[in-house]
């Protein structure tokens, strides 16, 4: 159920030298392949401009996709079974698990063994510009105009979508997931209210109060079993805890990176004093076993399991679905972001084009027009309903114009098995009309706690020209990797904060100032486009 945009903001955009060299050496070949592939496409007259089927005679496509731990096989999902009959497009999904997905994705491009499309692929802007410039991904803007009425309408309604996915040369190489409902843009802050009540504690309002609450969860046996086995606080693997807590220390994530915007000036804050304070606070929690000791080693499935045990005090998720699955949802309440030492209280949220690079068409695709028609269906409420809810009657019913899972289907616990939405990152529209499962009353109440602290403008990652993208790729490859490694060590106590000066100096040597200038230019261009 949960998408992983929070983690992605901090994850290094690592494209191996093998991938880069493969892209460079294959540019001519893949560009030729793209042209050849498009020439092999069926007569565009055989692709309907609207309605179904999309094509009169069945066609077959291969799509590489990420499969989350909660998912069942894509071929068994009602959405793809029914849509194949509607569209005459038969899709074979090449599934790769969440853990290790990026490595397999990069290997596809490095080896140039491409599928017809990348579905739920999490392509970064740098990957899109690299593989698009190399000819391995085809431009989509003309296909959108001719074969994607749903997406085209959304881009007209929300201009930030087009600016977030268009390169300086005017090309679109990848499509995002689009979110128009706030509840789908945020991680809720779920706290065990049953434990708060038992220990006669109030919801924490500050980072200091949160520390005291977590200590009470650790020491005062709130589950009542006489053992010190409670887990005070957990989060997704790695540094996902940083964007969750960063807002309490005045740190934002604009332009898809570790960036504050101050008077229209870009400030990459990785070496800042505020970030040091944040990491010191997280180190304090970790060293006192208030923060999950498996934070840097656990897999996604383990994290989801911890949400559903009822034995966790504080965690973060977009929805309440993992708790519902194990019937512990009533134990939890959403809380507001806690106020930090300088009075900061910011909530991280995703932009409207939330999941960049969710879908792309490769140069080997013989049916790009039909493929664009195929994906566009999911950018409308009808297609999104099918994708998220399955079959009417079997899986959902309509109440007041909104689809809801039936009680009988909810009782099976198979919601995450029937939709590629579960696990996040699917290319589709998330609107108020299709958000009942992720935005039930409990989630709505949790979201109300966050709304006052969300930024009015959330800039997505900018698209760069190829040369700038290459520069940023090289700089971020080293900087992001170093930042993640050192930050992990700071939090885990493997590196003393006495080394902070050396940490800052190393970031300087890695040319973080140059990276900041490149983002400043991108931001200035973005402002000029308005």
């Amino acid at each position: 159920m949960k998408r992983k945009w929070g983690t992605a903001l901090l994850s290094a955009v690592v494209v191996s030298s093998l991938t880069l060299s493969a892209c460079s050496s294959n540019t001519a070949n893949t560009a030729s392949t793209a042209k050849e592939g498009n020439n092999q496409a069926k007569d565009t007259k055989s692709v309907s401009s609207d309605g179904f089927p999309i094509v009169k005679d069945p066609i077959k496509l291969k799509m590489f996709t990420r499969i989350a731990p909660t998912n069942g096989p894509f071929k068994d999902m009602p959405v793809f079974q029914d849509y194949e009959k509607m569209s005459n497009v038969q899709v074979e999904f090449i599934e790769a698990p969440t853990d290790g997905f990026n490595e397999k994705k990069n290997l596809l491009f490095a080896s140039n063994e491409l599928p017809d499309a990348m579905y739920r692929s999490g392509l970064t802007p740098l990957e899109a510009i690299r593989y698009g410039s190399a000819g391995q991904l085809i431009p989509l803007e003309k296909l959108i105009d001719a074969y994607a009425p749903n997406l085209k309408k959304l881009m007209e309604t929300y201009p930030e979508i087009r600016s977030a996915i268009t390169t300086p040369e005017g090309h679109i190489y990848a499509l995002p997931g689009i979110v128009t409902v706030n509840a789908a843009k945020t991680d809720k802050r779920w706290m065990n209210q049953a434990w708060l009540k038992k220990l006669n504690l109030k919801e924490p309002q500050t980072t200091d109060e949160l520390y005291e609450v977590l200590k009470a969860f650790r020491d005062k046996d709130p589950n009542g079993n006489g053992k010190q086995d409670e887990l005070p606080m957990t989060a997704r693997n790695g540094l996902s805890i940083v964007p969750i807590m960063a807002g309490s220390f005045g740190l934002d994530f604009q332009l898809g990176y570790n960036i504050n915007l101050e008077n229209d000036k870009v400030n990459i804050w990785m070496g800042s004093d505020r970030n040091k304070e944040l990491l010191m606070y997280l180190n304090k929690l970790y060293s006192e076993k208030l923060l999950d000791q498996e934070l840097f080693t656990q897999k996604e499935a383990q994290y989801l399991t911890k949400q559903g045990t009822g034995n966790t005090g504080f965690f973060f998720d977009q929805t309440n679905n993992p708790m519902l699955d194990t019937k512990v949802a009533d134990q939890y309440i959403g809380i507001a972001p806690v106020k930090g030492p300088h009075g900061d209280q910011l909530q991280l949220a995703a932009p409207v084009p939330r999941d960049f690079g969710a879908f792309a068409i490769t140069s080997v695709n013989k049916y790009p027009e039909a493929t664009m028609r195929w994906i566009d269906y999911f950018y409308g409420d009808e297609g999104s309903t099918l994708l998220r809810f399955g079959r009417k009657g079997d899986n959902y019913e309509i109440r007041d114009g909104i689809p809801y899972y039936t009680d009988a289907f909810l009782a099976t616990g198979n919601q995450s098995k029937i939709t590629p939405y579960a696990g996040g990152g699917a290319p589709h529209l998330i609107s108020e009309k299709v958000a009942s499962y992720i935005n039930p009353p409990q989630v709505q109440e949790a979201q109300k706690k966050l709304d006052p602290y969300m930024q009015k403008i959330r800039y997505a990652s900018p698209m760069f020209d190829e040369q700038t993208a290459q520069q940023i790729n090289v700089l971020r490859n080293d900087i992001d990797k170093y930042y993640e490694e050192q930050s992990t060590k700071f939090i885990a106590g493997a590196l003393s904060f006495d080394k902070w000066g050396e940490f800052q100096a190393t970031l300087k040597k890695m040319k973080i100032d140059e990276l900041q200038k490149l983002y400043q230019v991108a931001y200035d261009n973005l402002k000029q486009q308005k």
Side-chain angles (χ1 to χ4, degrees), residues 268 471 475 510-519:
I268 298 179
Q471 288 179 270
L475 290 170
M510 291 180 168
K511 301 182 180 179
I512 195 169
D513 291 339
E514 182 177 331
L515 181 63
Q516 182 168 291
K517 290 178 182 177
L518 294 173
Y519 273 99

Side-chain angles (χ1 to χ4, degrees), residues 8 10 13 74 79 90 109 130 161 163 172 259 267 293-294 312 331-332 336 341 364 381 386 416 446 450 510 524:
L10 270 163
V13 181
F74 279 31
V79 53
Q90 302 170 0
F109 286 99
R130 163 53 68 180
I161 297 173
S163 65
I172 297 172
I259 286 174
N267 176 23
Q293 301 297 285
E294 297 179 336
T312 301
Q331 284 187 222
Y332 291 90
V364 304
D381 288 327
L386 176 60
S416 62
L450 305 179
M510 291 180 168
D524 291 341

Side-chain angles (χ1 to χ4, degrees), residues 389 391-393 395-399 402-407:
F389 288 90
R391 297 186 179 112
K392 186 177 181 180
N395 308 121
Y396 76 93
E397 59 191 3
I398 299 293
R399 304 179 210 155
I402 303 295
Y404 289 84
Y405 286 127
T406 65
D407 291 339

